[in-house]
Amino acid sequence: MLCVRTGGGSRLRLSLPFSNGFEKMIHSLFLINCSGDIFLEKHWKSVVSQSVCDYFFEAQEKAADVENVPPVISTPHHYLISIYRDKLFFVSVIQTEVPPLFVIEFLHRVADTFQDYFGECSEAAIKDNVVIVYELLEEMLDNGFPLATESNILKELIKPPTILRSVVNSITGSSNVGDTLPTGQLSNIPWRRAGVKYTNNEAYFDVVEEIDAIIDKSGSTVFAEIQGVIDACIKLSGMPDLSLSFMNPRLLDDVSFHPCIRFKRWESERVLSFIPPDGNFRLISYRVSSQNLVAIPVYVKHSISFKENSSCGRFDITIGPKQNMGKTIEGITVTVHMPKVVLNMNLTPTQGSYTFDPVTKVLTWDVGKITPQKLPSLKGLVNLQSGAPKPEENPSLNIQFKIQQLAISGLKVNRLDMYGEKYKPFKGVKYVTKAGKFQVRT
Amino acid sequence: MTDSKYFTTTKKGEIFELKAELNSDKKEKKKEAVKKVIASMTVGKDVSALFPDVVNCMQTDNLELKKLVYLYLMNYAKSQPDMAIMAVNTFVKDCEDPNPLIRALAVRTMGCIRVDKITEYLCEPLRKCLKDEDPYVRKTAAVCVAKLHDINAQLVEDQGFLDTLKDLISDSNPMVVANAVAALSEIAESHPSSNLLDLNPQSINKLLTALNECTEWGQIFILDCLANYTPKDDREAQSICERVTPRLSHANSAVVLSAVKVLMKFMEMLSKDLDYYGTLLKKLAPPLVTLLSAEPELQYVALRNINLIVQKRPEVLKHEMKVFFVKYNDPIYVKLEKLDIMIRLASQANIAQVLAELKEYATEVDVDFVRKAVRAIGRCAIKVEQSAERCVSTLLDLIQTKVNYVVQEAIVVIKDIFRKYPNKYESVIATLCENLDSLDEPEARAAMIWIVGEYAERIDNADELLESFLEGFHDESTQVQLQLLTAIVKLFLKKPTETQELVQQVLSLATQDSDNPDLRDRGYIYWRLLSTDPVAAKEVVLAEKPLISEETDLIEPTLLDELICYIGTLASVYHKPPSAFVEGGRGVVHKSLPPRTASSESTESPETAPAGAPPGEQLDTIPTQGDLLGDLLNLDLGPPVSGPPLATSAVQMGAVDLLGGGLDSLIGAPSFVAPPAAAVPANLGAPMGSGLSDLFDLTSGVGTLSGSYVAPKAVWLPAMKAKGLEISGTFTRQAGSISMDLQLTNKALQVMTDFAIQFNRNSFGLAPAAPLQVHAPLSPTQTVEISLPLSTAGSVMKTEPLNSLQVAVKNNIDVFYFSTLYPLHILFVEDGKMDRQVFLATWKDIPNENEAQFQIRDCPLNAEAVSSRLQSSSIFTVARRNVEGQDMLYQSLKLTNGIWVLAELRIQPGNPSFTLSLKCRAPEVSQHVYQAYETILKN
């Protein structure tokens, strides 16, 4: 053991190299809750004072609404790149030219990892697992370079907390840190670990499509597109090699792939061929945009009017099914941001229930499902602040709905084949269509 | 059992208890204790005092405990360097461990400990790890070279690590290749001239192979590296593009954007006739659109980049207008960007849709967004001629809403439409005039006045309208005043008979009663023109105006080309080249697009390049003045200047010159040029070019020895705002020298060094006459008192208020800014006593409107005491009279810049309220002189 115990600490300190401002990538990370408390900080290089967050708070104050805080903020000496997820701000401190998307993607990956490990990405969950959080952050980034961000690899390095494990650990004194090199880390398939074993081998796919649309006053479609994803839950032993083919692969002309997919096979044969990660993951996401292909499953009849020089107005909306392919539309919710001068609303729904929050001016109508025999409607009076001018803007309606057993684009899985392993897996595909950002202008 | 238990503290001596636990014999207890320490660290608590105890836990075979101790070490080693040495042996041993995970962990952690002594021990283990049989260790070691280079570049070069790193580019493992590329790119950035990343077709081939197999992050490093390569011909460019294209389908948006960068750059080399060029164009659109369905933060960055891409190659997204339509719950920063791109993509084909959207947006709630939407309608009219009529009628509809800010914004854009299509839409003027009274923003008022002046002959009551603006002429902003002046002159030239009085009124307001040189000069020019040659005046003032250009906000083409090379970076978000804002501009090389190989295309890209985009546009994105000030400080305040100041000033001048003239106007010349006060005292009060310098002979001054009143020190910069540095201070003037007495207190936990100070330009040219000398490093809790001599030879810029001073102080931690007010009496020179006769003549000479009267209340002193007290602060009593029992003191004082202030102080016996009348040719100082009187008399 070296022993340097001199009083000359100060001399040594003077010869320290001061950081010359050349620090690549993410320098520090601060986690901030909605009330502005910094409840966690992690520095990958030298410690950056919390006061740097003052610039962030300033921007936050200016933005009024948490969602409007700009994601890139410049300060005299740093850049702050932040994301807002699950009511938390992830604020990273950057000192040099860095691709902001790189940082934002990474921050989302951090949030995903917390979600994956603790079941939720919340201040309480993070505080409850602060040591694991710290270990994870250290494992995810080295010198600002992302190191291990794949859930599979991380879980081999640092085991997620379970009630059982913490009990076992405290009895046996074993730890929640893996002590062998993760097998996937360096193979050509970093997303999968070796030696996976299941008694029930199963492969399930969820085709989830969301319709983003803007419908104008008259009911015609201003803009519509479908954002689709195929999420997979694969629990297969060994090294299965899968191919997934579609009835109508031509629909997929704008696709983003999980790294496991062999791009060449897709280009030449329009077949998704891959060795899957173990567990849940997003296989592809895709976008179908040409307008005639996008069916709009609901329509809204609306009449919202405010009388001049009077403190009331009328509100009347009715929802009906349109191109729903013979399926039931369910889980319908209508949200409306009413103008500021609206004091209260006295409405009667023919089905479901509604609430109006007089503070945020948000009207929420929980409709349920549509039965074509009797279309759901909500009508009644709007009370305005007396004396205030009649609102200029008409509120937009935000519609949520869900259709089971249907991919609205018409995408259909043809078959799933497995190579490389001998057993017969259970297979399944589920389809669901939902409203994404579905807005009706009035 | 959660980790939140680690946050619970006991009443007394948390650190003490932790210490005991850390030294416990029980392994489990030790581990728990380290976890508690880490938990405290995560919330920013200082647990560095436990350093030796934590380090003692390092030698363990429990990997979790080892990792935790490493975490702690990385955080605190820097503040406890000699303690950190204790850890070296364990590190070296761990680097030999049979488990590759531990070898990699050790080399990774050692690289993060930025302590010189440790780096020496790092070299041998690092060399071994770079050649380790396990690729996991090799890839970790590659990053470690970059870390080490950051700490000690020379060492890395001497040890030959750079060559080893270059060899790793040919490694068999793609992850090792990616990390080697990342490390080399980082090192190369600090050595722009070095040929570290010597890219040639062979190495490019290796990178492209690794690109397919490495992790998403590795792909970004490789793509960014590829983007710096210049292919030798179009065939090589095409083959690289072909191999990069699959990355456009990656789920990671950063990979996608980096791939877009490579493609956009190499496309430049491809001939547009190639089939492949068209294919590539088609392939670019979908991934860019897909980025817009991601999280809003990603959307924002994507939109900023798309803005560049559509300027460079509008054909890429010309069919995708609809994806930029705004959803009402998009965050505002996304909305504004989408709107910008909508305008860029607007064409005859889609203008109807665009207009319908814009009209929709103009009734939204968010004011900024609504304004921008209204402006966008105007831009559409100017861009797409066929749509102009519809745009104008849309704008008129909006004006009917009577929403104040909508009306104002609409009038501003209608003015531009008139400029673009003269004599076409003047029928709307009547509607505009109806809204005259609601205009309260300068830009809208100016636009309206312009319209009235331009079309004066068609507006019957143009003279009445303009006259109504004239009433409050002096309260208007310069913009409005200038516009009003021009409009009335136009009116006069068009209807000379009825408006003569009006034009005379405005000319005299502009030339005699205004202190704005622009306004005055313009007034004189018109006056001269009108009085000498009315015909010429007509030709000049009513000349046909050039049509305004189509798009005024395009980025200048050369800058655009440079920015295309920086797609995906911060530069692309700010639309400025990195040299403009990356700190210190360190090693930034200007990038440029590769030249086209084909010959026939120099005349293409018609949509871009309008004649001269106004340079002012770029100012939009320039950070606040504070940032620029920061840059300036970084450039010219290096280590504290210990040599003779005169010698260094030249160097500093040079550094500032590098910034170019543009910045000078914002910040001003360096303030260090003045020689120190003690050496050349005669220079102290040198006025700026007033030609009166011979009056300023300090040696013959009547300065009193006691010096003027000194206010107690006030806190100027609280520690909270300056990372622990507290600055309080005051100003003094003694025997003709002004100084700033500062008290610096270190309330941080870290030693502060390298202090420097600089002032922004100010009204009286105050500037430090010598560098800020803090002789020893400032340790925590230590306080030091410094007297900084000031000169008044700095550059001058009128501040608001007149006596405010913006100061930047730098130390090893950061640069901080604060502003303070200085009492005016520090500027009263010691020879400010005026001769009685001169006083009398001057008093008469200064017009009466320059006289300001103030009340000084509750002053118990009598005339003698007042006189002597004021004299010690260089306010001299020239004469004294007794009129009807009142004491009249006639006083004079002179400011460092040669401005004389004359005063009459009326004192009634038994009445503690004095009346002070001040006369000065620069009446704006009066208020501050009065404050000086107050301060001096009441303290």
Side-chain angles (χ1 to χ4, degrees), chain B residues 645-662:
Chain B
L646 274 176
T648 53
S649 65
V651 180
Q652 287 153 351
M653 272 298 269
V656 169
D657 276 348
L658 290 179
L659 286 171

Side-chain angles (χ1 to χ4, degrees), chain B residues 201-268:
Chain B
Q202 289 76 37
S203 58
I204 288 292
N205 201 29
K206 279 175 195 153
L207 291 184
L208 286 167
T209 312
L211 180 63
N212 286 326
E213 291 168 358
C214 65
T215 65
E216 48 196 317
W217 312 109
Q219 293 184 16
I220 300 169
F221 293 130
I222 293 180
L223 286 168
D224 286 347
C225 177
L226 279 176
N228 288 331
Y229 175 65
T230 309
K232 60 181 190 309
D233 55 27
D234 53 344
R235 282 181 52 197
E236 195 188 3
Q238 177 171 346
S239 93
I240 294 175
C241 287
E242 279 165 0
R243 294 176 72 179
V244 166
T245 320
R247 297 302 119 207
L248 293 175
S249 300
H250 202 285
N252 185 319
S253 57
V255 175
V256 174
L257 205 55
S258 289
V260 168
K261 166 164 59 185
V262 175
L263 296 176
M264 280 295 286
K265 201 175 163 190
F266 289 3
M267 256 174 115
E268 197 71 12

Side-chain angles (χ1 to χ4, degrees), chain A residues 337-357:
Chain A
H337 277 262
M338 297 303 290
K340 279 210 173 61
V341 292
V342 172
L343 279 184
N344 222 327
M345 303 183 74
N346 284 318
L347 307 173
T348 324
T350 58
Q351 73 177 67
S353 60
Y354 84 96
T355 56
F356 176 74
D357 181 343

Side-chain angles (χ1 to χ4, degrees), chain B residues 119-128 148 155 159 161:
Chain B
T119 42
E120 287 164 25
Y121 292 97
L122 178 59
C123 290
E124 278 324 298
L126 177 59
R127 197 185 315 282
K128 267 187 215 148
L148 188 58
L155 186 69
Q159 296 277 336
F161 285 143

Side-chain angles (χ1 to χ4, degrees), chain A residues 206-212 225-231 246 248 251-252 282 284-288 293-295 297 325 400-413 430-437:
Chain A
D206 285 331
V207 179
V208 183
E209 295 194 340
E210 293 192 350
I211 306 173
D212 284 355
E225 65 177 23
I226 296 167
Q227 304 286 352
V229 296
I230 300 183
D231 285 338
F246 299 93
N248 38 9
L251 279 172
L252 303 176
R282 176 151 298 170
I284 63 170
S285 51
Y286 58 93
R287 191 176 65 93
V288 181
L293 278 177
V294 181
M325 320 288 171
Q400 288 300 316
F401 55 79
K402 205 173 187 179
I403 307 169
Q404 301 285 2
Q405 301 307 321
L406 174 73
I408 197 95
S409 68
L411 186 73
K412 251 194 143 58
V413 171
K430 245 175 36 187
Y431 298 92
V432 65
T433 295
K434 296 187 215 171
K437 289 180 175 166

